[in-house]
Amino acid sequence: MSAVSSHHKAKGLAPGRPRPAKALCSECGLCDTYYIHYVKEACAFLNEQIAALEAEAHGQSRDLSSEDDLYFGVHQDMMAARKKAPIEGAQWTGIVSAIACEMLNQGKVEGVVCVQNSPEDRFQPEPIIARTPEEVLAARVNKPTLSPNLSILEEVEQSGFKRLLVIGVGCQIQALRAVQDKIGLEKLYVLGTPCVDNVTREGLQKFLETTSKSPETVVSYEFMQDFRVHFKHEDGSIEKVPFFGLNTKELKDVFAPSCMSCFDYVNSLADLVVGYMGAPFSYQWLVVRNDTGQEMLDLVQDQLETQPVSSQGDRKNAVQKSIPAYDKGVTLPMWAARLMGVVIEKIGPKGLEYARFSIDSHFTRNYLYVKRNYPEKLDDHVPEFAKRIVEQYELPKE
Ligand code: FAD
Ligand code: SF4
């Protein structure tokens, strides 16, 4: 029996049934399909194998002696870019959607795995295989909730498609890379976004209700480089709430346990990553990991305005100070939070240094979370690059 057919005997789990990674499951969707057959090796929360998969996907794993590799993963190019004509309603300027549309238009792929939303709820994710640019565009903007993107894997195999683009976040892409040889594809393109602090749909509701003045009209939000959460509302207005004023005590349990124990913020295994945190405000941040990533970027180069990445400031003090503050769930009064936000924005880290600030803050927090809640997993689950990043800081004594 070949490896390709053996997984057909497995059966995906019904909704609501416990997943193999239990509380740490990020609902990536693999276990909804017969690819659950490979879960022990493939699941990002059962088998950390980023370095090995980097070597397979990019021909090398990250060089831990290079600071850029240590933080941002294997790459051959990095830049700041924005669409000259932004796509209305996209999360940022719509570079992800533009690339996906061109991949279809130019016949590079037959389908694109992306996430639309349910007709009743703009934040309820509905993974699909888009076959037209219109279907890709209908998936624009983040659904800031755990999304079972890989639940369409059986459909991919049944479609008979040989060339596919998958858009996804780190945990989805790690599981995908682990099974990509079993799907029957000739060419897989992977377009990733960074991802952090994701939530279940119920968790999202709690976050919106705790943080926004008008939770029901929020269409999208982002934790911005100016140290504020920007909520975009239906009428186009932007509400800004300083990070330092967030109700950390309430919100501590809002983020999914999977995201509190994730160290793949920068989507190490995608061919091309499109985020924002390493770029100046209003630009997106692009990390080209390999030639396949460059091939995708080339398709939209003429639609983009680009500039080199830059870095300014020193994050280390701010990160060190934020560790005990977050740990104790300190919430500043709003006036103090606003003041602190303004000061930090003026003198704080910018560009790649802001990205490193965000990575350091999340990795130290997550390291403590795993150490306290899953001490038996700590050594195997935390990748070497993340251990080195965390080692730069003094963590609270237990
Ligand atoms: P669009 O053209 O609007 O396309 C967005 C694409 O994202 C769509 O194709 C859709 O299929 C896909 N998508 C939407 N929701 C999900 C989901 N839940 N899971 C998987 N795919 C999804 N960037 C940073 O630099 N730092 C961060 O901390 C950060 N956190 C993020 C957290 C989440 C949960 C997500 C989904 C993204 C995050 N990003 C982060 C990426 C960033 O917010 C933008 O998504 C990215 O810059 C692309 O913008 P765009 O305008 O090109 O995307
Ligand atoms: Fe399965 Fe994905 Fe959950 Fe892991 S994270 S248990 S692979 S659905």
Side-chain angles (χ1 to χ4, degrees):
M1 185 75 57
S2 77
V4 173
S5 54
S6 67
H7 59 251
H8 291 155
K9 291 185 187 159
K11 206 163 177 293
L13 293 170
R17 289 271 315 277
R19 268 42 188 166
K22 304 193 178 99
L24 288 183
C25 172
S26 70
E27 297 169 28
C28 79
L30 186 89
C31 295
D32 303 357
T33 72
Y34 46 55
Y35 290 93
I36 191 176
H37 181 77
Y38 303 105
V39 67
K40 272 199 197 143
E41 301 85 58
C43 175
F45 303 95
L46 296 176
N47 182 27
E48 189 289 303
Q49 52 170 341
I50 291 175
L53 292 175
E54 276 176 339
E56 277 175 34
H58 314 314
Q60 56 185 308
S61 52
R62 70 183 79 191
D63 171 3
L64 299 180
S65 66
S66 140
E67 199 188 36
D68 277 354
D69 261 35
L70 184 72
Y71 274 84
F72 310 128
V74 175
H75 59 281
Q76 56 189 45
D77 204 2
M78 255 199 281
M79 73 204 69
R82 61 184 177 200
K83 279 199 83 245
K84 292 175 200 160
I87 295 178
E88 175 75 32
Q91 183 71 16
W92 279 78
T93 69
I95 294 178
V96 166
S97 298
I99 292 173
C101 287
E102 280 311 305
M103 292 289 285
L104 286 169
N105 285 337
Q106 301 199 22
K108 295 256 182 198
V109 292
E110 294 147 293
V112 176
V113 174
C114 52
V115 192
Q116 295 183 349
N117 58 286
S118 77
E120 310 78 40
D121 178 359
R122 62 166 72 102
F123 291 131
Q124 184 64 47
E126 284 201 354
I128 60 147
I129 309 175
R131 290 157 169 87
T132 63
E134 291 70 32
E135 287 170 338
V136 167
L137 289 172
R140 72 196 185 283
V141 81
N142 291 358
K143 275 42 96 181
T145 50
L146 302 176
S147 173
N149 283 26
L150 300 187
S151 61
I152 45 61
L153 276 186
E154 286 182 16
E155 197 187 323
V156 169
E157 206 181 337
Q158 284 146 16
S159 71
F161 284 172
K162 295 290 170 213
R163 305 176 71 80
L164 187 77
L165 168 64
V166 176
I167 300 170
V169 297
C171 54
Q172 300 158 356
I173 301 308
Q174 184 174 319
L176 174 71
R177 286 297 194 195
V179 302
Q180 78 173 71
D181 295 344
K182 326 279 199 266
I183 312 169
L185 295 173
E186 279 162 15
K187 178 75 182 170
L188 170 69
Y189 293 84
V190 180
L191 177 49
T193 66
C195 181
V196 80
D197 292 348
N198 215 341
V199 287
T200 59
R201 183 63 188 86
E202 303 75 56
L204 175 63
Q205 204 55 36
K206 184 170 175 193
F207 171 69
L208 294 175
E209 283 167 13
T210 321
T211 315
S212 169
K213 284 194 185 121
S214 171
E216 64 289 346
T217 59
V218 172
V219 288
S220 64
Y221 66 85
E222 198 75 86
F223 284 76
M224 283 294 185
Q225 299 102 318
D226 63 358
F227 297 87
R228 296 179 179 92
V229 189
H230 290 201
F231 292 99
K232 189 169 173 197
H233 290 278
E234 279 165 355
D235 63 2
S237 65
I238 308 280
E239 174 191 3
K240 299 179 184 178
V241 180
F243 292 178
F244 305 104
L246 293 182
N247 191 338
T248 32
K249 235 181 216 141
E250 280 271 321
L251 294 177
K252 230 176 167 183
D253 302 326
V254 139
F255 303 128
S258 54
C259 307
M260 294 292 289
S261 55
C262 168
F263 297 90
D264 193 21
Y265 195 168
V266 297
N267 210 325
S268 312
L269 302 169
D271 300 311
L272 173 65
V273 179
V274 181
Y276 65 89
M277 64 183 176
F281 186 63
S282 88
Y283 278 79
Q284 293 184 256
W285 172 54
L286 272 54
V287 184
V288 182
R289 300 206 182 283
N290 56 33
D291 292 345
T292 303
Q294 186 62 49
E295 183 185 338
M296 286 192 271
L297 181 56
D298 287 344
L299 298 178
V300 298
Q301 205 67 256
D302 60 341
Q303 300 180 31
L304 303 181
E305 215 180 305
T306 61
Q307 58 169 253
V309 281
S310 59
S311 189
Q312 206 186 312
D314 183 353
R315 72 199 180 275
K316 292 242 174 92
N317 233 331
V319 175
Q320 186 63 60
K321 289 211 170 88
S322 73
I323 296 171
Y326 185 86
D327 210 38
K328 292 194 191 97
V330 174
T331 308
L332 291 178
M334 200 45 89
W335 65 266
R338 282 193 204 287
L339 187 66
M340 192 148 154
V342 170
V343 173
I344 290 213
E345 192 195 350
K346 285 241 157 57
I347 59 165
K350 298 211 166 49
L352 292 182
E353 188 68 0
Y354 176 83
R356 285 187 283 261
F357 164 84
S358 195
I359 292 170
D360 286 352
S361 316
H362 286 95
F363 280 15
T364 47
R365 181 198 71 183
N366 288 9
Y367 186 87
L368 282 172
Y369 179 86
V370 178
K371 189 170 172 206
R372 285 173 186 160
N373 296 287
Y374 301 92
E376 72 292 352
K377 285 178 78 76
L378 190 69
D379 203 35
D380 286 345
H381 181 66
V382 184
E384 186 54 33
F385 65 83
K387 284 181 184 145
R388 297 214 188 172
I389 288 172
V390 172
E391 272 165 15
Q392 301 172 103
Y393 296 97
E394 204 179 313
L395 300 185
K397 302 264 176 297
E398 298 302 301

